[in-house]
Amino acid sequence: MSLRVVKKILKKVNSHAKEMSKLSDNQLKDKTQQFKKRLKQGETLDNILPEAFAAIREADKRVLGMFPYDVQVMGGIVLHQGNIAEMKTGEGKTLTATMPMYLNALSGESIILVTTNEYLANRDCEEMSQVYNWMGLSAASAVPENADDLKVEEKREIYNSDIVYTTNNALGFDYLIDNLASSKEEKFMPEFSYVIVDEVDAVLLDTATTSLVISGAPRVQSNMYKMTDEFVVSLEEEEDYRLDEEKKNVWLTRKGIEVAQEYFRVPNLYDGKHVELVRHITLALKAHNLFEKGKDYVIEDNKMYLLDSTEGRILENTKMQQGQQQAIEAAEGAEISDDMRSMASITYQNFFRLFKKIGGMTGTGKTANKEFIETYYMKVIQIPTNNPVIRKDYPDKIYPTLREKLMASLKLVKELHEKGQPILLTTADVELSEIYSEILLHEQIPHNLLNAHNAAKEAEIISEAGQWGSVTVATSMAGRGTDIKLGKGVKELGGLAVIGTELMPSKRTELQLRGRSGRQGDPGFSQFFVSLEDDVVIDSGPKWVHKYLKKHRNDNPDSPRELKSLRFRWAMKRTQKQHDNQGYNNRKQTMDYDESSKKQRNLIYSQRDELISENGRFKFNAEKFILKYLDGYLAKHKADFTRNELSRLIFDNLSYTYNGVPDNFPITDKAEIKKLLHQIVKQKLREKEAKLENVEEIERFYRLSVLKAIDTGWVEEVDNLQQLRSVVESRSSAQRNPVYEYHKEASKSFEKMQEYVNKLIVQNIMLSVIEIGADGKKDIYFA
């Protein structure tokens, strides 16, 4: 879809404006039922779009006192078509969403709006539900303050609303939890239809490599984390271990291996008998060398929390896998959390592709248009601003060192603050934001600090950032979704000044921060200060830049030296693009890895849904299934059974109460063994079915037996796949394609899981105990 087509549809919407404005309140409200009736009679959403948009637009005006501008209607059209509307900061994306949300809700299918944090979801729901309710539709937030205490019935009621506001995190976890339900009564999620993702680049790109993982029973906790941490802190870089920051890798040198063997008193560290010790040493080395406090994680109340790498927010309910979390906790002296077994997992990429249609809103999406098309089949369409953007975006100022960059940026901050011009000073991570805060305190400049430590006050801090004399230091989270309105007299001073203090990891992030200033035609400017010591430059910068820094780092550091040559400006642009491409490759690789998980997950979840659904009979011949399993087992068992082996087979799989194989039993005769096993199966099944009153109870028993087996097997498989990825990544050093290796091993793992599930089904049916209580209620106890 092109902007030209969007403008044609806009004309049709505008042609109904006068007609809608003449309707009484009741007549306008009645439009909802009329639209629903027309849809049932065969009209499509596209057919009724012009009238429906005009109706809800008029309702916005009457209920909220806001009449969506033409540009907002255009944004709404793009969203309805399943594309991304790029709308600049302050252009009213929240109001824009009311139009496609209302239109699609008329279909009666699930309509969800996803945003980046709970505050925004609740704020938007509270405000916009007024207009939906007025037009006869229901709206609810899936992240209320008491979200953790919600019962299944309450969650079901929320998701049954016509329109639901939530966060990407909460929605993803609700999906995984819903697919762990053991009965229809425990399920609460609707079938996914249409979702609008606010700040779509933050959700679908920046967090794309983050897997949502639900953890269950903890593994046996290792006692090696503290021990290996104490060993690693005694090592010297280059001498005992080597570090490759670019490839995020660290390893022991030959001398380091000898030191480890002496420290742990093992003759050969790599003889295959000390795999766990080697793994823990590697985890400890990574914890000390590849992860930074304030950038990758924070410690609060002696507990470790991961940070979003792009916005500096705390990632709720998210932990590193394969023991890396516990290794960092040991390195920081924090409380070591349980290493939990993964029960369910999905990446954001594959989660959002479950929806029939996705719409997205952002202020900065065009630079990632190709990736959105390739991954989500969505185009980015730039919507013109209602008022021209007059903000001035100045080229970056480049300095050799961090110290010089901070000195130069501080000089500008002091100049602006003296005249009262408000400043939003942005940093790439928590640590730098706190360093800058300390500098400002030393300079006696009052300011607000916004980072992962005080995200609860985010909206309040950001909303005040445009007031006279205000100075706000923030990580790149910078209050996405919250408008910065200019205070009295600020326009005359030049508007909001956005000062960046680091080369951002992508052009999108940089543009997002620049866009905090100059909303709705306001004045303002943005200026970034970068250095050759910035993380992005260290990670992705050209070698000649690193050599220049090494040579000139200490040349007159007390006087900031700005590097003005085009060569450096070109290098910074290339570095940012290189880093951005690296992010794209990481996201693509994550999706490639998750392809096996996706196929397996879809198969398992569809099987579970069939089992849980009570529509129709559960066609399962238990006797035939068990006998087939036993026949297969006997066929694979080439050698003759011993009396003890046959008894164990029966005790472990068929009956706890079996008296044992008779002394005179022909143990070498496979046909007789088969006959004996078949007899036991038939007798046990008759006994069980006799305790169950009717066909429905018998079906329920078999249904639960199969469901429990699938769940147990799937939990093992999810955990195996999580572990498998870290194993195959090491094979790249042997010139093997890790993604190919992963799919090959994942396929083998799934086949083993299916065999394991079949065994569990047999055990659940044969070894379970059915007890009838005093009240006549039957309880089933599985082995």
Side-chain angles (χ1 to χ4, degrees), residues 104-296:
N104 284 270
L106 296 171
S107 68
E109 294 186 332
S110 160
I111 309 301
I112 297 172
L113 188 138
V114 165
T115 190
T116 50
N117 63 61
E118 292 175 10
Y119 166 79
L120 291 176
N122 288 319
R123 182 200 72 180
D124 293 353
C125 181
E126 187 178 343
E127 189 175 357
M128 298 302 138
S129 62
Q130 298 174 65
V131 73
Y132 300 133
N133 295 161
W134 196 82
M135 288 295 282
L137 298 177
S138 58
S141 167
V143 285
E145 286 185 13
N146 65 332
D148 292 339
D149 303 322
L150 291 176
K151 294 176 181 171
V152 171
E153 304 80 46
E154 293 170 313
K155 281 198 167 189
R156 191 182 299 120
E157 187 180 342
I158 287 169
Y159 280 108
N160 280 341
S161 300
D162 294 309
I163 291 165
V164 176
Y165 284 80
T166 186
T167 65
N168 49 310
N169 199 44
L171 184 64
F173 278 118
D174 276 349
Y175 167 76
L176 292 177
I177 291 165
D178 190 65
N179 279 290
L180 291 172
S182 57
S183 69
K184 196 175 180 181
E185 291 71 36
E186 290 176 27
K187 289 184 78 69
F188 55 86
M189 295 287 280
E191 187 180 339
F192 289 152
S193 176
Y194 177 51
V195 64
I196 291 178
V197 184
D198 192 14
E199 306 299 352
V200 67
D201 54 330
V203 176
L204 297 188
L205 300 185
D206 296 335
T207 60
T209 55
T210 304
S211 287
L212 292 162
V213 179
I214 287 185
S215 300
R219 298 187 182 88
V220 176
Q221 188 74 322
S222 169
N223 60 359
M224 289 189 187
Y225 291 115
K226 287 187 177 177
M227 184 170 61
T228 49
D229 186 74
E230 287 168 5
F231 163 68
V232 161
V233 294
S234 70
L235 301 179
E236 294 288 332
E237 189 179 345
E238 292 301 321
E239 196 173 328
D240 299 315
Y241 67 90
R242 295 232 169 88
L243 174 66
D244 184 343
E245 285 191 78
E246 192 176 329
K247 292 185 179 177
K248 300 287 181 188
N249 204 1
V250 59
W251 63 93
L252 291 174
T253 61
R254 186 172 293 278
K255 182 174 183 271
I257 294 168
E258 290 170 2
V259 172
Q261 288 171 173
E262 187 179 340
Y263 187 94
F264 293 105
R265 297 181 183 177
V266 296
N268 184 351
L269 190 63
Y270 292 96
D271 61 2
K273 297 175 185 176
H274 308 287
V275 173
E276 277 303 293
L277 177 58
V278 172
R279 185 173 80 86
H280 280 75
I281 291 172
T282 304
L283 289 171
L285 281 168
K286 286 182 176 180
H288 281 279
N289 293 283
L290 298 180
F291 298 96
E292 286 182 45
K293 184 177 175 181
K295 181 182 176 185
D296 299 301

Side-chain angles (χ1 to χ4, degrees), residues 11 45 88 91 287 298 394 419 456 498 533 535 588 624 639 673 697 757 759:
K11 279 186 181 178
L45 291 175
K88 300 303 178 192
E91 290 297 296
V298 289
Y394 293 109
K419 63 176 184 174
V498 171
E533 291 184 320
D535 287 343
K588 191 173 183 308
K624 186 178 177 182
I673 291 173
E697 282 200 357
V757 167
K759 180 182 178 182

